[in-house]
Amino acid sequence: MSHIYRPARRLWLKTFLLILIAQIAGLSNQLLAAEQAPVAIVIHGGAGTIKRELMSAEIEADYRATLTMAVSAGHAILTAGGTSRDAVIAAINILEDSPLFNAGHGAVLNHEGDVELDASIMEGRTLNAGAVAALSRVKNPINLANAVLESSPHVMLAGAGAEIFAEQQGFEFVNNDYFKTERRQRQLERVLAVENGLASAEDPSDLIFGQYQFDEKKLGTVGAVAIDRFGDIAAGTSTGGMTNKRFGRIGDSPIIGAGTYADNSSCGISATGHGEYFIRAAVAHDICARVAYKGLSLQQAADEVVMDKLVSMEATGGVIGVDNEANVAFSFNSAGMYRASIDKRGEIQVMIFKQD
Ligand code: ASP
């Protein structure tokens, strides 16, 4: 009897082998596609009254060099096959450690003359997120936000509780003085003088301290958004908030949907600006929603929110973003925004002013 079935068995074996080969080919195609999927990264160092005439060539060069270092560090991780979340953290760590930006070392001071830091990070594939607020001793807040994402059932931790969690996670602690710089101390003094009617907010000569320009609007948060070889988007934001903030004020930066958002089905966004407005406008999520629901390009969606919605609310600031096809976008309604990107063609852009 068995000889009757032999051809059928052979056919079955052949079919099985063909399916196996097709599957292996499909899998390696997928791996190849993943390997070749374009990567891109975009970063910001805050938006505000950043004007060429108020900045020395030396300071401008410092800003450009640090932005270049941060965007390149993130990009190197992406091209080596690393994840967008790791790229975002690497870029933000460089900006947090630099005294130039309002995050980590060099962050702005609150009303009492101390530094309180907020940060958040989100992963577009899983919609997992981690956020921390009102930290005073954690050196790199974005890393703690990432630990919340990875190792906590919660999304947002604040103040003393967040620092207990940081201790349990083995984080490095620093004294609050580590974050403080003379520039920020002078900035607080000036804001308090304006508040008390002792100085004019309009006088541009008052905006200069040494070689630095005071950012009268008190903006200067840092952020990064990236897409990796696997097509996964991540976005992160880290800040000292706003100069002279009081009563445990927390801005938009650690609020998922306001200062930070990432969803592989649309885009990733990190914002910088007057947080009170950015929270109410749900800026980061609104941009991704316009991409998803209205079918707008990332640039169109970002411009609608930043140039129309925020302007009509009289809110200053800007955003950076990356969509799921690795297009990058910047949009800001202030005089300038520290920003840099390395796009899917590997081209680098480092810019500060509106007309750069
Ligand atoms: N968005 C930040 C906040 O309101 C400030 C900034 O972007 O500079 O805390």
Side-chain angles (χ1 to χ4, degrees), residues 85 121-129 149 233-235 262-264:
R85 192 143 55 85
I121 190 160
M122 185 163 185
E123 183 174 72
R125 178 170 48 87
T126 56
L127 303 186
N128 274 346
L149 183 158
I233 301 173
D263 183 340
N264 277 4

Side-chain angles (χ1 to χ4, degrees), residues 102 218-221 239 241-242 249 251-253 271-276:
N102 174 19
K218 307 167 237 176
L219 311 178
T221 295
T239 190
M242 296 182 83
R249 178 265 186 195
D252 60 308
S253 307
T272 171
H274 196 147
E276 278 65 12

Side-chain angles (χ1 to χ4, degrees), residues 2 37 39 51 64-66 102 108 131 140 147 151 153 159 190 202 216 218 220 232 235 242 278 284 305-306 308 321:
S2 70
V39 300
K51 293 188 182 144
R64 288 188 194 274
T66 311
N102 174 19
V108 299
N140 292 103
S151 314
R190 180 182 147 74
E202 306 307 323
E216 182 52 22
K218 307 167 237 176
D232 290 330
M242 296 182 83
F278 279 58
V305 172
V306 174
D308 300 342

Side-chain angles (χ1 to χ4, degrees), residues 169-186:
Q169 294 287 314
F171 268 75
E172 183 185 349
F173 280 83
V174 291
N175 190 290
N176 199 259
D177 288 342
Y178 159 80
F179 301 113
K180 298 178 188 175
T181 59
E182 199 191 342
R183 173 191 181 195
R184 297 302 188 190
Q185 240 132 19
R186 291 287 298 274

Side-chain angles (χ1 to χ4, degrees), residues 48-60:
T49 45
I50 305 161
K51 293 188 182 144
R52 203 184 291 271
E53 60 272 23
L54 292 174
M55 191 180 287
S56 77
E58 209 180 325
I59 293 304
E60 185 182 331

